[in-house]
Amino acid sequence: LKVERGMDVLDVVDLVPLVEGKPLEGRDNRILDWLDLLAAGYRLPAIVGSNATDNVRAVGTLRSFVPSAAATPGAIAPLDIVHAVEQGRAVLSTGPMLEVTLTAGQTRALPGDSVRAPDGQIALDLRACSSNWAELDRLQVLVNGKRQLDLTRAAHPELFTAGPRLR
């Protein structure tokens, strides 16, 4: 991956190599390069699904979520989305809507924030929702480009409710 001066956001095309945890023949593997950049300390925000130019994947299977204070989707200002992405607030997903907050001491953080936990204690609050035809069966959490948590319904059924929601 060539990172050019002035590059402000990386458009990740494919999340499958991340899910599989390895480069895949015939797939766009730049997500793995992005994770290496994060692990090396670079903070390059990423988005996914912004340029669907092929018919390989169904529309909507790759999503970027950004937080918004708007009460309805129509009230979201386009520049608010741009600024949220620039701040690293985008959460990349293969479909489910994800809300993520982290608490360390008295500090509450969102994706894109830098947090220090001097005592080593953090609380991660995850909320994942999807439509009823796409059951959630796995959740991965990455910290600085490294997989720190990999939860599956098979290994942790108590975390996955009977419906399409992880609590």
Side-chain angles (χ1 to χ4, degrees), residues 3-166:
V3 178
E4 298 177 15
R5 185 179 175 155
M7 188 174 181
D8 56 354
V9 175
L10 175 67
D11 187 6
V12 174
V13 177
D14 200 344
L15 294 179
V16 174
L18 171 64
V19 174
E20 296 298 322
K22 62 184 179 186
L24 300 174
E25 176 99 22
R27 303 299 290 243
D28 186 319
N29 291 296
R30 79 178 85 172
I31 184 80
L32 301 176
D33 296 328
W34 178 66
L35 294 178
D36 289 341
L37 288 170
L38 292 177
Y42 292 95
R43 295 294 173 250
L44 180 64
I47 56 173
V48 68
S50 70
N51 188 17
T53 58
D54 60 44
N55 61 1
V56 175
R57 291 170 289 278
V59 173
T61 57
L62 299 175
R63 300 178 183 168
S64 297
F65 294 103
V66 294
S68 172
T72 63
I76 299 171
L79 278 179
D80 289 347
I81 296 170
V82 170
H83 295 310
V85 169
E86 290 172 337
Q87 295 168 356
R89 302 242 183 267
V91 175
L92 311 183
S93 174
T94 55
M97 184 180 80
L98 305 171
E99 293 178 19
V100 182
T101 56
L102 182 138
T103 305
Q106 299 299 314
T107 303
R108 186 170 182 264
L110 296 172
D113 289 339
S114 292
V115 178
R116 293 198 183 277
D119 63 358
Q121 300 295 310
I122 63 160
L124 188 62
D125 183 30
L126 303 168
R127 181 172 170 253
C129 300
S130 71
S131 55
N132 60 1
W133 50 265
E135 185 174 73
L136 297 172
D137 63 356
R138 184 176 188 183
L139 179 80
Q140 296 178 346
V141 176
L142 298 122
V143 177
N144 295 328
K146 302 288 184 195
R147 185 175 293 131
Q148 298 296 316
L149 191 61
D150 193 350
L151 302 173
T152 64
R153 183 182 297 269
H156 300 280
E158 72 281 3
L159 297 177
F160 295 78
T161 64
R165 176 178 257 172
L166 173 74

